[in-house]
Amino acid sequence: MKLAAAIGLFSGGLDSITACRVIMAQSIRVVALKFVTPFFDDRLLSREQEYRTEVREKYGIDVRIVDLSEGYIELLRNPGHGFGKNFNPCIDCKIFMLTRARRLMAQYGASFLFTGEVIGQRPMSQRRDTLRVIERESRCEDILLRPLCARLLKETRPEREGLVDRQRLYAFSGRGRRQQIELAGQFGITDYPSPAGGCILTDVNLGARIENFYQGRLRISSGGFDADDIRLLLVGRQFRLPGGQWFVLGRDEKENERLLELAGEGDAILYMRERPGPTGLLRMGRNSAGTGALANETIMQAAGLVVRYGRKVDGRVMPAEVSFTQRNVKKSFVAEPLGDDQFSGWQL
Ligand code: SF4
């Protein structure tokens, strides 16, 4: 007999793991969707197979990664339900994810959707009235089950139709995790990530940085920005040069490498030739194609920052030879370090 199937939203945290196992325990085939964007978990895109194997071996769950970047970047411009404490549009985010999950139901042969939400667990997005708004606006009414708190909510279609036994669902509520931990223990799961979120939109500093970016404080391109711009925004020290150009410096070897990975066509790369120090990336944006026209003043400002944060000589910041590459222009020159008072207003 072919098993019924369901799609679960999978954050990778305790609640979503437990919710998947509750549904799987009712002999339903579960496809867990792990949504990623540049704001959360998108490094998984480069190790999808490894991640899938990890989740299957640890929790017995079949997870798929779905990249939501495209529409999500747009969503942040003006989320209908506003933002939480920081730049996190949790209600619209959930509506967006559920809408995408609903559209994938036919592909996976799923009869319903489910999440690991628990009433009252989060102040904004998990209130009873908000749960209803989310299911209505994602057009998931009646096909969206919340196995961990279902018995506190109205019966849904999979329950009425007998696909899911309501008596084997739960009535958890509130912020505590004790009940989820006990339930996970019954499935033999004791090793799960701590609740600290992986969503940088909830981070005070990064959230503010992203908000600034959305407000257009950086000159990148009149054609808008994309996921790679957001990824760049999350690396290293960030500067807005006096002409509005966006400049980023790596803070260690790993970040220097990341900047080289993220460098796009037309971006300029700077580094000190003879002493260890940061790699600098001057983002030119898509509209810079073919211009190569960076003012010497801008180049010297960027080079001055590279030297300022480079290794000191006998405890002093000294001038250094800087290499500059942009498209087929390669040159090197001696740059003076900038004094801290010269760039105090440039840092983002
Ligand atoms: S914390 Fe981030 S990923 Fe989670 S619902 Fe809010 S915006 Fe979405």
Side-chain angles (χ1 to χ4, degrees), residues 76-122:
L76 272 174
R77 288 184 192 280
N78 186 19
H81 295 278
F83 293 98
K85 215 163 137 204
N86 298 302
F87 202 52
N88 48 312
C90 292
I91 298 176
D92 291 275
C93 175
K94 291 196 166 168
I95 294 169
F96 193 72
M97 289 180 181
L98 281 166
T99 305
R100 181 66 68 89
R102 175 172 54 72
R103 291 185 182 139
L104 289 169
M105 284 175 70
Q107 180 180 330
Y108 291 115
S111 309
F112 67 97
L113 304 173
F114 69 91
T115 70
E117 288 165 302
V118 168
I119 285 189
Q121 191 176 71
R122 299 205 195 284

Side-chain angles (χ1 to χ4, degrees), residues 286-300:
R286 288 166 289 283
N287 286 2
S288 67
T291 66
L294 262 175
N296 200 43
E297 193 186 2
T298 304
I299 295 173
M300 292 315 288

Side-chain angles (χ1 to χ4, degrees), residues 242-255:
Q245 297 87 357
W246 181 9
F247 184 59
V248 186
L249 280 180
R251 287 172 299 193
D252 54 32
E253 206 47 47
K254 223 167 134 197
E255 288 189 345

